[in-house]
RNA sequence: GUAGGUGUAGCUCAGUUGGUUAGAGCGCCAGAUUGUGAUUCUGGAUGUCGCGGGUUCAAAUCCCGUCACUUACCCCA
């Protein structure tokens, strides 16, 4: 058992081989898909002014009030590790000129939230996300959702579902809140105490409560869309219609709400079974963020990589399947051969052939065993006898056959 | 912040009402005739039983504390 001082801090973990190969696969395929949809990568700092997050996410949201890693630098500036990626991306876009007005960007990297860790929740976790900036257009929302599904299939994920809803425009918010309160008020006494408080502070949040008593009341409440303007309803209709024409199946979930204040219109979540309580692998939506003197409209999503990996794992997709294997393993016997084989290995590596060898003076059997474990397709055996004759024994590990070859032929066969 | 669970070999875990040399499987290393890998057989190494204190003739086992991990609530990816 490792001593505690050797462990990373709570809620953060090392990603080591072979796990890292799954991460690489996910990142590589994401880049391929993003390129097809013409999204470009941006890399923003992990540390930002705290106010960037309080202003864009909402200064009463849980993420901002109790989950940020905040600190003061030596100049007394209030800084925070980013708890999500949209704020930074939008800051970058708002700072730019005309050409970024319709930016399509993606990012991947660590995010930080100082919460109690549990299944599917780390304090340092990783997100892959995109932002498509531009005036609200329901077709853009649909395209982003289509991209999201494309990603899932590129990764080989089965069994994910999309839940979609609208939370309307800020102008609708008052009507929605009033409408909900009106509908719930007669049964307020049925709710537990904390839910009654939320009735006052944030009624919307009651919709996705896990509390049975709350759900019972919510079940009889009309869907939020009924309190919205005709425009907001038409917006959702167009999103759904566009998705249908792309043959994308979504489930409308009137109870879906989001925890960040910047969302408008369309919001959605990708959920997957077999993940534990945190079953959302991705959250997305359309947003409107005031930043400086500008208002940025956009639509995007962020996927939790750790949760994605858990979902893939429940589909039987594991890191081992993506671990690279050496093209060739070199077995040596004798001092002179070992020395020559290191030179051979170097030459092969410079020619782009991945190659592993044992630098000790272990027995052939032990070296063969290691070659097998490493998954080498072929093994070169060269001892002092081969060295004298100027030949190489090349063994095919799959069928066990082997032959003696000279250097030119060896190079051809590798 | 609140509540439950767990902490024994590199990994997964067993350890019976406290009883003396703490186990298994996997992995690792070595051997089964001379330089050949998935199998089989034989042998071997490795533990401050999370840490600290207490009860006891005796503690991995009981009690207290502490740390870590884990699951769930809140909320979120």
């Amino acid at each position: 058992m490792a001593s505690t001082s050797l462990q990373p801090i709570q809620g953060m973990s090392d990603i080591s081989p072979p796990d890292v190969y799954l991460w690489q696969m996910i990142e590589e395929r994401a880049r391929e898909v993003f390129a097809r949809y013409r999204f470009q990568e941006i890399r923003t700092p992990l540390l930002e002014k705290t106010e960037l997050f309080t202003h864009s996410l909402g200064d009463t949201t849980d993420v901002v009030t109790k989950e940020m890693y905040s600190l003061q630098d030596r100049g007394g500036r209030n800084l925070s590790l980013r708890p999500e990626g949209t704020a930074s991306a939008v800051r970058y876009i708002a700072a730019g000129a005309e050409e970024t007005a319709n930016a399509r960007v993606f990012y991947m990297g660590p995010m930080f939230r100082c919460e109690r860790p549990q299944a599917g929740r780390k304090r340092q976790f990783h997100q892959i996300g995109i932002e498509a900036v531009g005036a609200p257009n329901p077709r853009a929302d649909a395209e982003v959702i289509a991209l999201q599904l494309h990603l899932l299939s590129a990764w080989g994920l089965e069994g994910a579902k999309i839940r979609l809803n609208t939370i309307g425009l800020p102008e609708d918010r008052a009507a929605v809140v009033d409408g909900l309160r009106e509908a719930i008020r007669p049964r307020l006494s049925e709710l537990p105490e904390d839910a009654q408080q939320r009735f006052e502070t944030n009624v919307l949040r009651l919709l996705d409560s896990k509390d049975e008593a709350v759900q019972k009341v919510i079940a009889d409440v009309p869907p939020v869309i009924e309190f919205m303007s005709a425009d907001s309803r038409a917006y959702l209709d167009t999103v759904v219609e566009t998705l249908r024409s792309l043959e994308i199946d979504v489930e409308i979930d009137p109870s879906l709400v989001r925890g960040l204040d910047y969302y408008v219109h369309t919001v959605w979540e990708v959920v997957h079974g077999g993940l534990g309580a945190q079953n959302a692998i991705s959250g997305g939506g359309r947003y409107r963020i005031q930043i400086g003197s500008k208002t940025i409209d956009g639509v995007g999503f962020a996927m939790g990589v750790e949760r994605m990996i858990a979902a893939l794992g429940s589909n039987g997709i594991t890191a081992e399947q993506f671990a690279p294997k050496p093209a060739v393993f070199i077995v040596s016997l004798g001092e002179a051969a070992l020395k020559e084989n290191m030179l051979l290995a170097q030459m092969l590596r410079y020619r782009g052939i991945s190659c592993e060898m044992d630098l000790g003076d272990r027995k052939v059997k032990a070296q063969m065993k290691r070659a097998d474990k490493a998954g080498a397709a072929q093994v070169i055996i060269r001892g002092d006898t081969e060295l004298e004759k100027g030949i190489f024994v090349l063994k095919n590990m799959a069928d066990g056959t082997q032959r003696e070859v000279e250097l030119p032929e060896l190079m051809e066969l590798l």
Side-chain angles (χ1 to χ4, degrees), chain A residues 104-115:
Chain A
R104 287 155 76 91
V105 298
F106 74 88
Y107 56 84
M108 37 182 80
M111 307 293 165
F112 304 84
R113 290 184 200 174
C114 194
E115 307 173 81

Side-chain angles (χ1 to χ4, degrees), chain A residues 134-143 235 238-239 242 265-266 286 297 299:
Chain A
N137 177 345
R139 290 182 186 84
D141 301 21
E143 188 192 25
Y235 193 97
T238 309
V239 172
T242 309
H265 284 311
T266 322
R286 171 159 289 284
D297 276 290
V299 57

Side-chain angles (χ1 to χ4, degrees), chain A residues 51-52 55 90-91 94-95 289-296:
Chain A
E51 61 179 48
L52 174 67
H55 287 165
V90 165
R91 173 189 54 65
I289 297 177
Q290 299 283 342
I291 184 163
S293 59
K294 296 190 180 178
T295 300
I296 303 291

Side-chain angles (χ1 to χ4, degrees), chain A residues 176-186 198-203:
Chain A
V176 169
V177 169
D178 285 349
L180 281 176
R181 287 216 179 108
E182 215 51 42
I184 296 170
R185 198 184 306 277
R198 223 170 308 156
F199 176 84
E200 300 295 340
T201 57
N202 196 344
V203 218

Side-chain angles (χ1 to χ4, degrees), chain A residues 226-369:
Chain A
E226 297 202 358
F227 305 118
M228 290 177 193
S229 65
D231 284 353
S232 289
R233 298 161 77 150
Y235 193 97
L236 179 67
D237 287 344
T238 309
V239 172
V240 172
E241 198 180 288
T242 309
L243 286 170
R244 292 243 162 84
S245 69
L246 292 172
E247 297 178 341
I248 289 168
D249 203 28
V250 294
E251 176 189 327
I252 304 289
D253 181 349
S255 73
L256 180 66
V257 294
R258 305 262 75 206
L260 308 176
D261 285 356
Y262 54 52
Y263 286 108
V264 298
H265 284 311
T266 322
V267 292
W268 71 89
E269 226 171 52
V270 178
V271 293
H272 193 272
L275 280 194
Q278 315 304 323
N279 65 348
I281 57 182
S282 178
R286 171 159 289 284
Y287 50 82
R288 175 168 295 169
I289 297 177
Q290 299 283 342
I291 184 163
S293 59
K294 296 190 180 178
T295 300
I296 303 291
D297 276 290
V299 57
F301 63 78
M303 321 197 61
V305 179
E306 285 84 352
R307 290 185 188 179
M308 186 64 215
I309 284 172
L312 287 172
S314 75
N315 280 182
I317 297 172
T318 61
E320 282 75 14
Q321 298 161 26
F322 301 97
K325 299 178 185 334
V328 60
F329 190 101
I330 303 176
V331 170
S332 315
L333 195 81
E335 274 296 315
L338 179 57
K339 197 173 157 193
E340 282 302 312
N341 284 344
M342 283 192 75
L343 187 61
L344 173 65
Q346 175 168 282
M347 183 189 78
L348 293 176
R349 289 164 179 162
Y350 268 91
R351 295 198 178 197
I353 297 168
S354 66
C355 158
E356 187 173 332
M357 65 181 289
D358 198 305
L359 300 179
D361 56 350
R362 305 173 75 204
K363 299 196 166 178
V364 172
K365 186 172 192 157
Q367 295 186 55
M368 288 299 296
K369 209 169 171 181

